[in-house]
């Protein structure tokens, strides 16, 4: 999947920013960095990349101070949808040998492992 995103000039952070904007709507730059739980400098670089590609747009809002708000463009939505389709096809290939029940069990186990890793990182 990383190779497919890389071919589009995107990485995991790019996809995360696009997904956050699609799921939660427009965000100020600072708030977006907090939402994707990444250093602000990294998110600013990604926003710059996405702006260059026309996948997001930015507007200045002066409510309680000056904020640069980032929104998803229709092109960004299309790229995110295409990336989702790519991920689904990769998943279908990788998990093709598993039954529906085995996939559900794998999903459950991976969620448990990720939850344990998140708790361990918080300690």
């Amino acid at each position: 999947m990383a190779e497919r995103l890389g071919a589009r000039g995107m990485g995991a952070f790019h996809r995360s920013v696009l997904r956050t904007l699609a799921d939660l709507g427009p965000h100020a730059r600072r708030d977006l960095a907090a939402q994707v739980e990444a250093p602000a400098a990294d998110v600013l670089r990604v926003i710059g990349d996405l702006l260059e590609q026309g996948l997001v747009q930015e507007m200045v809002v002066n409510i309680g101070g000056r904020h640069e708000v980032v929104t998803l463009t229709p092109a960004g939505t299309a790229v995110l949808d295409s990336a989702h389709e790519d991920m689904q096809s990769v998943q279908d290939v990788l998990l093709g040998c598993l039954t529906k029940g085995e996939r559900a069990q794998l999903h459950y186990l991976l969620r448990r492992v990720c939850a344990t890793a998140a708790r361990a990182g918080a300690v």
Side-chain angles (χ1 to χ4, degrees), residues 91-92 95-96 98-108:
Q91 180 178 328
D92 289 344
L95 303 179
L98 300 178
T99 66
K100 187 175 180 179
E102 290 169 334
R103 285 184 186 201
Q105 185 178 17
L106 177 62
H107 179 74
Y108 170 75

Side-chain angles (χ1 to χ4, degrees), residues 111-123:
R111 286 180 56 108
R112 283 183 52 198
V113 168
C114 290
T116 300
R119 283 193 305 271
V123 176

Side-chain angles (χ1 to χ4, degrees), residues 34-110:
Q35 281 294 330
V36 298
E37 298 177 349
D42 291 342
V43 173
L44 293 177
R45 181 186 50 76
V46 166
I47 290 171
D49 293 346
L50 296 172
L51 283 166
E52 286 178 16
Q53 296 176 37
L55 304 179
V56 298
Q57 62 186 8
E58 200 169 51
M59 66 183 118
V60 175
V61 177
N62 288 306
I63 300 174
R66 183 178 191 278
H67 301 279
E68 294 170 341
V69 176
V70 181
T71 61
L72 194 60
T73 64
T77 301
V79 166
L80 188 59
D81 289 345
S82 178
H84 180 73
E85 290 170 7
D86 279 349
M87 286 193 320
Q88 186 64 46
S89 68
V90 168
Q91 180 178 328
D92 289 344
V93 169
L94 291 175
L95 303 179
C97 63
L98 300 178
T99 66
K100 187 175 180 179
E102 290 169 334
R103 285 184 186 201
Q105 185 178 17
L106 177 62
H107 179 74
Y108 170 75
L109 292 171
L110 289 172

